[in-house]
Each structure stands twice: as structure tokens, then as C-alpha cells.
Amino acid sequence: MSALPRRPKSPPGRPRKSAPPGRARPRRASRRRDPVGALRAVPWRFDLPASLVVFLVALPLCVGVAVASGVPAELGLVTGIVGGLVVGALPGSSLQVSGPAAGLTVLVYEAVQEYGVGALGVLVLATGLLQLAMGALRLGRWFRAMSASVVHGMLAGIGLTLLFGQLYALADRKAPATGPKKIAGLPALLRDAVTGAAAPSAVALGVATLLVLAFWKHLPAKVARAVPAPLAAVGLAAAVTAAADLPVARIRVSGLLDVVRLPERDALGALAGTAGLGTILAFTLIASAETLFSAAAVDRMHHGPRTDYDRELTAQGIGNTLCGLLGALPMTAVIVRSAANVQAGARTKASRVLHGLWLLLFTALLPGVLGLVPLTALAAVLVHAGAKLVPVRRIVGLCREHRGEAAVLAVTAVAIITTDLFEGVLIGIGLAVVKSAWQTSHLQIAVEELPVPAGPPPGPVIGPPPGPAITGATAPAPGGGPLRVRLSGNATFLRLPRLLDALERLPADRPVELDWSGLRHLDHACTVALNTWADQHRARSSAPLAVEPPLPTVA
């Protein structure tokens, strides 16, 4: 008989495991992705209600931005659908929601007036291609250099702008074009609302919707968690409007296919001139900046995965390319929708994809259902969302501990309200850079007296005796021993007046030793100023001047 092959021995100290009789050894789990399992892993109880909230917030924004841009309302809805279904499924940011944004309204309106609605698709298509190139070059990461005060100032500015504008829609009035005009018209709007001159049915319904939004969280936890406050408020407003047949304005949406148009060859003429290229560049810079600035703000609102800025920029490029092919509005990430998504409890990107699906279904298949929703109720939802964007607690804390950061936040918010989002953020960043440069350019100037070298007995001393070492720009009394000037810190042009005042007050009849070895940074302006001062001091003084280490030469 032939011997059976022996099994390998188990390692010492580890018993050999064997399968029970009648049961096969279990196989290793497959490493292939299970789409059904991934679908089950989505926290639907969080993302599904959040998607409905974002849908309710996005719907009036899509319609309002399109109308303000001078194009049919359906083009704004097309951009919102692409932002949800396409960009929402792409990698980059998990909770940021994209669609048409108010920051591009003025530029889009001017482009439509100049080139026509037919050329809008070509301009947006070129914008998307340029964003794809920027994402491939990994330029998105540079937008991460953002001050927290600027980000919160951006949120406050957007929230207040949204709040002021939607107060007019709540009273069924047309809002003024600029932020200062909106603020200036609020007293008259309040007077009309109180006296009944501003559509009392719309005002009453909007105020009631605001009260539901504000006090919904105080209901029992089971009720408040089961139905989101915006969904409950809008649903109740629509039911009351239908039951009482209130004379208020409602949403009007027609078919989407009637407005979708591919770019035509005649529209390529918009790319021929410098004005068209400038419009494309402006679209690209503003859309990219608003998207990535919003991503920085959204990342501070949740504890989930952080945004990959380069991938998010690429996703926006894909979305704008598709919007351009459909002739729709340009797309950015919208902080209002994104904040509503986070505050509604979304956990994954499924919420933003579903919000695009609701936009598509309701506008394409059930436009009559949307016709039941009063505009004043949607305006109340946006007023509530805008108020929640203002970081009141953070502003109070900064005013107590960091007044400089509070000033940056306030200036950013005011600049956004008075100009637009892009210019306001640039002003805030500039102020933050100036503030940081001023704080980091600390320069210490210490003037001390050195002991007098031993020598023959001096003659009678006339005048006050030499005093102790001093710090700052006060010169010691003349007639003593050598002086040593120590410079430490950072010598920049911001501190140049103080530096020259201290050096020019040194007496001309005493030896001076300038020691700048403690400087961490010496910029060109200070280098030129020190060389000039040294030459002038040697020319007017009979006492020696020593500079250690030697100053760099300048051209």
C-alpha cells in the first residue's frame, strides 16, 4: 500500500482547526463590490427627508435665478437637475449641492442681452471645459487657503442677502436689484405689511409658515424627526391655500423639453471677440471660486468626509459642460442648498442625487402638483434658511476674544451685501491678508549702552550722566559710551517708519553698533532703508558705525 500524503503540521502552540462533520469549510468573502449591499448601506432615514428639504429650497432658487437672469424658468430647473443627478453622483464633496447661483445672475443677464439666449450654451460649455482643465492641473487645492472669519462672513453675507430679498417675495412684492436698496426698502415694506397694502393673504400665509418652521423643533421628538420642518410648513401652506382658495401667487412651470436646445453654429460667434472670452473667464473664475469657497464653509458644518477640491472642480466642469450642451444656466455649488442639506441631517451624497430626481419628476411629470405650492411659503423657507446661515454665536465670541477676526467677518458680510459674492470674498481675503501681515511683522528695537572701554581718567563730565539701557525709539542722552542697537523679529515695510525713527534719533557723537542678527526676515524695503541710513550716519558722524553682520548690497 502506498503511504497517504501527510498534512502539514500546525505551528506550535496553535491548534489545527477542522470543519465540523457534514459541513463544508466556509469560503473567503469576495472582495468585489456588492451594489445591493452598498445601496442598503445608505442611511435612507436621514438622506431621504434631507433630499426633500433640499428640493424645497432648490426649487424657488432655480426659478428665481433663471427669471432674474432673463431666461425661461425651466433653464434654471435643468441646471438644478444636472447638479443633482450628475454632479451629485461624482466624487469631490459628499454633502455640497450644486445648481444655478445668484452670484452669476448679473453676468448671465448681461451675456444674454449681448449675445442672446442661444449663445448662452456655448459660453457655459466653454466654461465647463476650462474648469476641467483647471481640475486636471490640480488648481483646486489653492482655494483651501481661506480664513475662517472670511468663510463665516461669506455665510453671513449670503444669508442676509437671501433674507432681505425673500422678505419681499413673502409679501408678494418684487425685490429691489441691489443689497443696499433692499435694506433701504424694508421700512416701507413693513409699513405696507402692517397696514394691509402688501397682499394680506400672502403676508399672513408667509408669517404662518415662518412660525411653523421656527417652532416645529419644539414638538415631540417623534413628530419632529419623522417630518422635516420645511416639508411640513410647505405642505400645510399648500393645503390651506387649496382649501381656502387664497389669492396668492403660485409656482408656474411648463415642459422642460421646449426650452432645451443644443448649441448652434451661429452661436460660436460669441467666442470670437475679446468680450466673449472675458465672459467665459469671468464665468469660470466666479463659478470655481464660489464652489470651492462654499466647500470650505460646508466642511466646517459637518464631521463627515472632507472635500477633495481638485475632484470637486472637475465635477463642476463636467456639470457645466453638460449644461452648456443643453443650453442651460451655468452651475456652481450653492451654499444655501448645501447648508440646508447638512442641517436637515444628510449623511451621504444620496441626498443631493435624490433632490435632482425630485426636481426632474415634479417638473416633468407633475407640474400641476407644484402649481399648488404658494410662492410666499417657499419664500418663508428661504428666509428661515438665510437666518440660520448667520453665525450669531461665533460673532459674539469673536467680539469678546478676537476683535480683529470679528472685523474681518463683518467687513466680508457687508461687502457681499453691497457688491456681490465674488467681490465681497475678495475684499474679505484682502483684509485678512493685511491683518495677518500686520500681526506677523513684529519688530523689536532695543537700544542699550555698552561699558566705556578702560583708559586714562576722563576729564570733568558736563551734562547728565548716562542712563540705563532703553528699548524702543527713545534715544539715550549724548555724551556717553558706545551704543548697541539690536533688531529682532520681522523687518518689513509695515514697520519701516518706527525703525527709521529709532535710528535717526541716535546721537551723532557716539559710536554705534547695529546688530540685526536676530531678524527672522528682512525685506527689500528695509534693506534699502538700512543701507541709506548707514551711509548718511557715517557722513554726518565722526564716531564709528559697526554693522554686524554686514548688510546685503542693493542695486
Side-chain angles (χ1 to χ4, degrees):
M1 295 179 64
S2 59
L4 294 176
R6 293 192 296 180
R7 296 179 180 177
K9 296 181 179 182
S10 300
R14 181 183 300 174
R16 185 174 60 194
K17 297 181 180 180
S18 59
R23 184 180 300 176
R25 187 183 300 273
R27 297 181 179 179
R28 294 182 178 179
S30 175
R31 296 184 179 179
R32 292 180 298 178
R33 296 184 62 183
D34 182 8
V36 177
L39 192 62
R40 291 176 179 174
V42 176
W44 294 108
R45 66 191 185 97
F46 298 105
D47 289 333
L48 183 58
S51 68
L52 294 173
V53 173
V54 178
F55 160 70
L56 292 175
V57 174
L59 181 62
L61 283 177
C62 291
V63 175
V65 170
V67 173
S69 301
V71 300
E74 290 79 5
L75 290 182
L77 293 171
V78 171
T79 301
I81 292 169
V82 173
L85 295 179
V86 179
V87 179
L90 294 175
S93 176
S94 59
L95 299 181
Q96 187 166 243
V97 185
S98 300
L104 290 171
T105 300
V106 177
L107 287 175
V108 174
Y109 180 82
E110 293 177 354
V112 170
Q113 297 300 317
E114 179 72 21
Y115 306 108
V117 179
L120 181 61
V122 175
L123 299 175
V124 177
L125 175 62
T127 299
L129 296 176
L130 192 55
Q131 284 182 317
L132 286 174
M134 293 171 62
L137 295 175
R138 304 177 66 86
L139 299 180
R141 64 182 63 186
W142 292 102
F143 288 87
R144 301 185 67 179
M146 175 66 68
S147 168
S149 297
V150 175
V151 172
H152 290 289
M154 180 187 72
L155 293 176
I158 294 174
L160 292 174
T161 302
L162 184 63
L163 188 150
F164 295 146
Q166 293 302 315
L167 283 176
Y168 290 87
L170 189 144
D172 202 10
R173 292 289 183 89
K174 183 178 180 180
T178 63
K181 291 182 179 179
K182 293 176 183 177
I183 298 175
L186 289 179
L189 180 66
L190 179 60
R191 183 184 64 250
D192 293 343
V194 172
T195 58
S201 298
V203 173
L205 189 61
V207 172
T209 305
L210 274 178
L211 293 176
V212 173
L213 291 169
F215 292 101
W216 187 260
K217 61 183 178 181
H218 298 291
L219 295 177
K222 293 183 179 180
V223 178
R225 293 178 181 176
V227 183
L231 181 59
V234 173
L236 291 174
V240 171
T241 303
D245 194 18
L246 296 178
V248 295
R250 307 180 189 185
I251 297 178
R252 295 180 181 178
V253 178
S254 58
L256 295 177
L257 297 180
D258 297 336
V259 297
V260 172
R261 60 182 68 182
L262 297 177
E264 300 177 356
R265 181 175 300 178
D266 297 338
L268 296 177
L271 304 178
T274 57
L277 297 178
T279 301
I280 295 172
L281 184 61
F283 279 2
T284 303
L285 292 179
I286 295 177
S288 303
E290 185 170 349
T291 293
L292 300 179
F293 291 161
S294 299
V298 173
D299 283 348
R300 289 181 169 89
M301 300 173 66
H302 66 91
H303 302 287
R306 305 291 95 179
T307 300
D308 187 324
Y309 286 73
D310 297 321
R311 289 187 175 183
E312 180 65 19
L313 189 57
T314 302
Q316 294 292 322
I318 294 174
N320 274 318
T321 301
L322 184 55
C323 287
L325 292 175
L326 298 176
L329 291 175
M331 171 194 305
T332 69
V334 185
I335 187 60
V336 178
R337 305 181 199 186
S338 305
N341 190 35
V342 175
Q343 293 165 359
R347 300 294 178 85
T348 67
K349 62 177 64 176
S351 62
R352 57 183 190 174
V353 176
L354 286 175
H355 117 274
L357 180 62
W358 305 143
L359 284 174
L360 176 62
L361 292 179
F362 276 82
T363 55
L365 304 179
L366 301 172
V369 176
L370 291 178
L372 299 176
V373 179
L375 290 177
T376 182
L378 295 179
V381 172
L382 294 179
V383 168
H384 186 257
K388 293 174 69 175
L389 287 178
V390 182
V392 178
R393 293 183 180 179
R394 182 172 294 274
I395 293 173
V396 173
L398 289 178
C399 291
R400 292 176 179 175
E401 301 177 2
H402 306 283
R403 295 184 179 179
E405 295 295 331
V408 173
L409 189 152
V411 169
T412 304
V414 172
I416 290 175
I417 294 172
T418 54
T419 58
D420 55 41
L421 178 62
F422 186 66
E423 294 182 7
V425 170
L426 289 182
I427 292 173
I429 292 176
L431 182 59
V433 170
V434 171
K435 172 181 168 294
S436 299
W438 180 261
Q439 290 181 339
T440 56
S441 63
H442 289 298
L443 176 64
Q444 290 78 35
I445 306 173
V447 183
E448 58 183 3
E449 293 193 5
L450 300 179
V452 181
V461 178
I462 301 176
I470 62 174
T471 300
T474 303
L483 297 176
R484 174 180 292 166
V485 181
R486 293 183 181 273
L487 304 180
S488 59
N490 298 288
T492 65
F493 68 96
L494 297 174
R495 304 294 180 177
L496 198 54
R498 176 170 172 261
L499 174 61
L500 292 178
D501 287 343
L503 294 177
E504 290 172 354
R505 291 180 183 178
L506 295 175
D509 57 346
R510 301 178 63 177
V512 176
E513 177 183 333
L514 177 61
D515 181 9
W516 61 279
S517 60
L519 289 178
R520 294 187 298 270
H521 175 69
L522 178 66
D523 69 358
H524 181 264
C526 287
T527 303
V528 173
L530 288 177
N531 278 283
T532 303
W533 170 82
D535 294 339
Q536 293 176 351
H537 185 82
R538 291 190 177 100
R540 68 183 178 89
S541 175
S542 57
L545 169 65
V547 180
E548 292 294 337
L551 290 170
T553 58
V554 292

